[in-house]
Amino acid sequence: MQARADMDSIAERLEEQYPEGSANLKISVVPLREQYTGSAKPILRVLAGVVGILLLISCVNIAQLLLARATGRRKEIALRAALGAGRGRVLRQLLTESLVLGLAGAILGAALSTVAFTFLARLIPDNFPQGTTLALDPVVLLFAATVGVLTSVAFGLGPSLAASRFNLNDALKQSKMFGPGGRRRKIRSALVVVEVSMSAVLLVAATLLLRSYHQLSSVELGLSTEGLWIIETPLSTSRYRDSQRRSELASGVIERISALSGVVSAGYVNYAPLVFKGGRAGFLIEGRPMPAPNQFPQQIVSDRVVSPGYFSTIGVPVLSGRPFEERDGPASVPGVLINQTMARMFWGDENPLGQRIRLSGSNTARWLTIIGVVGDMRQMGLELVPQPEMYLSFNQLPAEVPPFFWPRYLAVRTEGVDPIKLAAQVRHAVASIDPNQPVSSIRSMRNVIDSELVNRNTQLILVGAFSVLALLLAGIGLYGVLAYDVAQRKPEIGLRMALGATGSRVLSSVLRRTLLLTSVGVLIGLAAAAAVTRVLRAFLYEVTPTDPAAFAMVAIALFAVALIACWAPARQATRVDPIVALRSD
């Protein structure tokens, strides 16, 4: 708070001293931790919510299984009570069993987490701040184990209370003909509905992220990625301060690499597409009103510096005019290329060729003549529409320019070249010009795009894995309810079949129950997903949070899993022998 107040005071003083150039000046103060982790907070909140929903589904499954187990032991518990065990004693026994299950699960989960950590660590991008390492924190393990134990006991409390509260005479005399009653059956059905609905929410979230990932990975970049390589060759600020030496290195490297077998063309750029997201400059248009002194121009666009042959190398068309050529040297008229968006934004239907612009910041800056218009590229990000951009020539830059204008990235177009062989040839070609010049990285354009998608890929894999696990748990829960119901209703089913009911009618009764529970769960889950998935809006690309295709796919998947889960119990119900079933009662 004190730092923010101090900076606000400095901004006020600057505005008083320089009213024209510092009007409405605002200074933002951000904690260092926030600077490093602020962008990760939204997705971490989403993942925390996903884990929470998965934990609830697991707890519902625990409650359902314990309820079924307690129901099946009602006569055993009644017998214990008849022998003198009080309700508190029975309740303690059942809770102790829940605690043992929770401890066993927590220990097994902690052991599995150490094994799974190696795999999970590979999913997380390694662009951490210096000094930060990724490790399995014992405190986190202890917290997760504690939560597992507590939730097991908490969700086992309800079934334990229900099992310890009974009428002794009814429990001992109860016939199995129609089971232990409908109340607990309704509770188990409600738990299944809850599982299915929460699974639907997770599946919708995963499907939306999957569709968004597919849309973004197939977006049109405006350049040709096939056979395109990006090679980084950072120049030493001490050895290449002279512009003539920079020019000789760039032209020499391009000439040597272009002569390699399988190389089609090559060209330099100060920052390659999707590698650098900054670089913006204000400019003035000749013949239009100039800004007041100390006032920054309203015309601001992205700027990059390229060599002749760069646009043909990366596959960007020149729509009108011409690209930079070798004849565009220091002695020729300074030229500039603009992209289609910049031409449309600042000149509209007017032809920009021949128009002159000047970079702002100095009254002595040269006027640059627009010699060509090139196609748009997505250079600032896959999800961002093409921005207005201008391109300067390395060969026409002033002698003294900052290092961020120097040639740094070499684009190379190849055909049928082995990547390992290409890397060795490129390093040899650069070393032949300057043995001390490093080649820090060689990546295909496809790798650059994959680097842009790595965070979304991590999100998709984690949310998708949790969603599949939730779907599996929901299927297990539905199977458990149906299998238990069939086992409890065997005498009833046997009686119905003895009275003439066919196997198909018994099968249809199990299927009706399955479809009813699933339908209610799907409807509730999709309604909840329509409200909850709005928090994913910031992570979606060309997909709405209520995308009909995603909701339909989830509904189909849940019904398919439900039918698979009910298959074994339904077949078991049709194979009940009426005589054996009636004798068992």
Side-chain angles (χ1 to χ4, degrees):
M1 294 297 294
Q2 183 62 42
R4 187 173 288 109
D6 292 343
M7 296 308 296
D8 289 341
S9 176
I10 292 174
E12 292 175 0
R13 291 199 299 270
L14 286 174
E15 188 172 355
E16 292 174 357
Q17 295 177 12
Y18 307 98
E20 294 181 348
S22 303
N24 299 320
L25 178 65
K26 300 295 182 184
I27 300 177
S28 177
V29 179
V30 180
L32 185 61
R33 180 184 295 274
E34 184 74 16
Q35 178 68 21
Y36 280 132
T37 64
S39 60
K41 283 186 177 180
I43 187 58
L44 289 179
R45 292 192 184 101
V46 171
L47 290 176
V50 169
V51 172
I53 293 176
L54 186 61
L55 177 62
L56 285 176
I57 294 175
S58 303
C59 291
V60 169
N61 235 347
I62 291 173
Q64 182 178 225
L65 294 174
L66 291 177
L67 182 62
R69 188 166 182 267
T71 302
R73 297 172 61 191
R74 63 192 182 279
K75 285 196 173 182
E76 172 201 337
I77 295 173
L79 183 59
R80 290 176 181 272
L83 295 176
R87 186 187 178 193
R89 179 74 175 270
V90 172
L91 183 60
R92 285 196 301 273
Q93 177 189 343
L94 297 176
L95 286 177
T96 301
E97 292 175 359
S98 299
L99 179 60
V100 171
L101 290 175
L103 285 172
I107 294 172
L108 180 60
L112 290 176
S113 66
T114 58
V115 177
F117 178 75
T118 304
F119 169 73
L120 293 175
R122 295 175 182 174
L123 298 179
I124 301 174
D126 57 359
N127 53 344
F128 290 104
Q130 187 175 4
T132 303
T133 57
L134 191 64
L136 194 60
D137 193 342
V139 177
V140 174
L141 272 180
L142 180 61
F143 172 78
T146 304
V147 170
V149 173
L150 293 179
T151 51
S152 297
V153 174
F155 279 80
L157 182 61
S160 299
L161 288 172
S164 64
R165 185 171 54 247
F166 56 86
N167 185 288
L168 185 58
N169 292 328
D170 292 342
L172 291 173
K173 295 188 300 183
Q174 187 175 31
S175 170
K176 293 192 294 183
M177 180 64 72
F178 297 102
R183 183 172 177 271
R184 293 181 183 176
R185 188 184 185 198
K186 291 179 180 178
I187 293 175
R188 291 195 300 273
S189 299
L191 292 177
V192 169
V193 169
V194 171
E195 278 190 287
V196 172
S197 61
M198 288 191 293
S199 299
V201 174
L202 289 187
L203 285 171
V204 168
T207 306
L208 289 175
L209 291 176
L210 175 62
R211 285 177 54 78
S212 180
Y213 182 87
H214 178 265
Q215 292 286 102
L216 194 59
S217 60
S218 59
V219 72
E220 182 60 44
L221 292 179
L223 53 86
S224 176
T225 61
E226 187 66 27
L228 181 61
W229 297 83
I230 303 298
I231 302 167
E232 186 176 4
T233 59
L235 303 184
S236 169
T237 56
S238 60
R239 292 189 297 112
Y240 283 97
R241 186 164 297 278
D242 180 65
S243 61
Q244 180 64 28
R245 190 174 183 186
R246 293 196 300 268
S247 179
E248 290 175 355
L249 173 75
S251 58
V253 169
I254 291 175
E255 181 181 354
R256 295 290 178 90
I257 291 181
S258 298
L260 295 176
S261 176
V263 174
V264 178
S265 61
Y268 260 112
V269 63
N270 62 334
Y271 287 107
L274 301 178
V275 175
F276 182 69
K277 310 299 177 61
R280 297 178 68 83
F283 71 98
L284 309 173
I285 301 177
E286 186 179 32
R288 297 190 184 181
M290 296 293 171
N294 299 323
Q295 182 179 359
F296 204 74
Q298 295 181 352
Q299 299 95 338
I300 302 176
V301 298
S302 298
D303 63 321
R304 296 181 191 248
V305 188
V306 301
S307 69
Y310 172 72
F311 290 107
S312 61
T313 298
I314 65 174
V316 173
V318 178
L319 304 178
S320 61
R322 65 176 180 85
F324 292 124
E325 299 173 352
E326 293 296 338
R327 60 187 172 94
D328 297 317
S332 60
V333 177
V336 63
L337 297 173
I338 63 175
N339 71 344
Q340 193 175 9
T341 297
M342 181 173 173
R344 182 173 56 252
M345 180 177 295
F346 295 103
W347 283 275
D349 296 332
E350 183 182 356
N351 184 7
L353 296 181
Q355 300 283 344
R356 297 206 306 172
I357 63 175
R358 187 177 71 188
L359 296 181
S360 62
S362 174
N363 293 329
T364 60
R366 302 173 302 170
W367 287 100
L368 308 173
T369 302
I370 299 175
I371 63 173
V373 178
V374 300
D376 289 335
M377 286 184 283
R378 293 180 183 247
Q379 303 203 81
M380 305 305 231
L382 294 176
E383 70 280 4
L384 299 178
V385 297
Q387 305 295 307
E389 295 173 336
M390 69 168 69
Y391 301 91
L392 308 176
S393 173
F394 280 123
N395 296 338
Q396 294 182 327
L397 288 178
E400 295 296 330
V401 292
F404 54 79
F405 280 121
W406 297 1
R408 183 181 182 94
Y409 291 91
L410 181 67
V412 179
R413 171 77 57 186
T414 64
E415 286 184 356
V417 176
D418 179 31
I420 299 178
K421 183 178 179 181
L422 175 67
Q425 290 178 330
V426 166
R427 288 189 168 88
H428 181 267
V430 173
S432 66
I433 305 297
D434 181 356
N436 298 318
Q437 175 56 42
V439 177
S440 60
S441 70
I442 300 178
R443 294 187 292 171
S444 69
M445 194 62 204
R446 188 68 254 176
N447 291 141
V448 175
I449 296 173
D450 291 342
S451 298
E452 281 289 299
L453 294 171
V454 65
N455 287 330
R456 290 179 177 270
N457 186 46
T458 301
Q459 299 163 13
L460 177 61
I461 291 177
L462 291 177
V463 176
F466 290 145
S467 302
V468 171
L469 184 56
L471 183 63
L472 179 62
L473 290 176
I476 292 174
L478 185 59
Y479 168 80
V481 166
L482 295 175
Y484 184 78
D485 279 355
V486 169
Q488 292 294 312
R489 293 175 57 201
K490 273 187 178 180
E492 174 194 343
I493 294 172
L495 178 60
R496 291 178 183 274
M497 297 184 73
L499 295 176
T502 61
S504 60
R505 294 194 64 179
V506 174
L507 179 65
S508 65
S509 67
V510 177
L511 290 177
R512 279 198 305 270
R513 177 163 168 74
T514 302
L515 294 177
L516 176 61
L517 294 177
T518 307
S519 298
V520 175
V522 167
L523 289 176
I524 296 175
L526 294 184
V532 172
T533 52
R534 297 185 186 277
V535 302
L536 294 176
R537 189 182 299 274
F539 307 101
L540 303 181
Y541 177 77
E542 292 189 355
V543 176
T544 62
T546 56
D547 181 54
F551 280 64
M553 292 167 63
V554 169
I556 293 173
L558 286 170
F559 277 108
V561 170
L563 291 176
I564 294 173
C566 80
W567 176 250
R571 284 179 60 84
Q572 183 183 5
T574 60
R575 293 177 177 179
V576 172
D577 188 334
I579 297 178
V580 175
L582 292 174
R583 282 178 178 173
S584 66
D585 195 44

